[in-house]
Each structure stands twice: as C-alpha cells, then as structure tokens.
Amino acid sequence: VQLQASGGGLVQAGGSLRLSCAASGRTFSNYAMGWFRQAPGKEREFVSAISWSAFRTVYADSVKGRFTISRDDGKNTVYLQMDSLKPEDTAVYYCAATRTYSTASREYDYWGQGTQVTVSS
C-alpha cells in the first residue's frame, strides 16, 4: 500500500484542519487505518485509528472530542478532521495502514510521508 498524506498547514489556535491520506496499490478496504504524530524532540504517538468498514474508531485522550477520523473506501482515502486545535497539536502527522486494528505503531505495515501541522498561539 502506498500512502500519500496531505492537508497540513499553519493555523491559529482554535482553528481547524482536515488531513487526507490517499492509498493505492492494494485493496484499501482490507486495512485498518491510523494517524500518528511526532512533535520535535518527542517520540511518535498514536492519534486515532479506524477499522475496516469503519465500524470501530479510537482516539488518544489528548484529541478525543476534537478530532474525528473517517474513511471513504470508494475514494481509497482516510481523513482526520481536526477542530479546536491547540499549540500542543503541532507535529508532523503520519497516516498508516495495518491488517490488525491497533493503536501500536509497530502493528502498522505501511506509512505515508507525513504532513506538517503547525498551530500558533
């Protein structure tokens, strides 16, 4: 699976962004998808995941109630709607694909290149 993330940018605190991750190469609907992020000087952390068929979603406590993950299997794309953004959300955001629904980065087999999100105060 090849993954291409997009939609990052610079936004003021309280603003919104929608990240997209387009997949190609294998049957997208067979994969659970996840979003991770990595801030400067910090380890990569889990943000959100969505199962195949979108029947399950999970969020990190730090983004719960502010971020929404979704997928469109017809477009082979997963989205991350980010609202009420905070400066601490600043990071490079990565999408990833796995055959197992998981919050652990080691379970993900395919990774996109990352998109920068910067939230100013």
Side-chain angles (χ1 to χ4, degrees):
V1 178
Q2 290 80 47
L3 302 173
Q4 181 73 37
S6 62
L10 174 63
V11 64
Q12 288 188 331
S16 298
L17 283 174
R18 189 176 80 155
L19 305 184
S20 299
C21 177
S24 62
R26 290 184 183 266
T27 306
F28 177 73
S29 59
N30 288 346
Y31 289 84
M33 300 296 296
W35 287 97
F36 294 78
R37 66 187 182 186
Q38 187 166 19
K42 295 187 177 181
E43 294 188 354
R44 188 173 298 185
E45 65 174 0
F46 170 77
V47 176
S48 182
I50 187 167
S51 66
W52 44 89
S53 301
F55 68 93
R56 293 177 67 185
T57 59
V58 60
Y59 299 91
D61 287 344
S62 58
V63 306
K64 200 172 295 182
R66 299 188 298 121
F67 290 11
T68 303
I69 192 171
S70 62
R71 64 188 295 159
D72 184 339
D73 288 350
K75 295 182 178 180
N76 287 357
T77 301
V78 62
Y79 304 97
L80 186 68
Q81 177 67 42
M82 305 187 296
D83 299 319
S84 302
L85 282 162
K86 304 175 180 180
E88 51 263 44
D89 294 319
T90 295
V92 178
Y93 283 70
Y94 299 89
C95 60
T98 178
R99 295 298 296 267
T100 59
Y101 179 65
S102 175
T103 62
S105 61
R106 64 180 180 276
E107 298 290 340
Y108 286 77
D109 303 306
Y110 304 98
W111 292 82
Q113 86 288 1
T115 185
Q116 176 70 48
V117 171
T118 302
V119 185
S120 62
S121 57

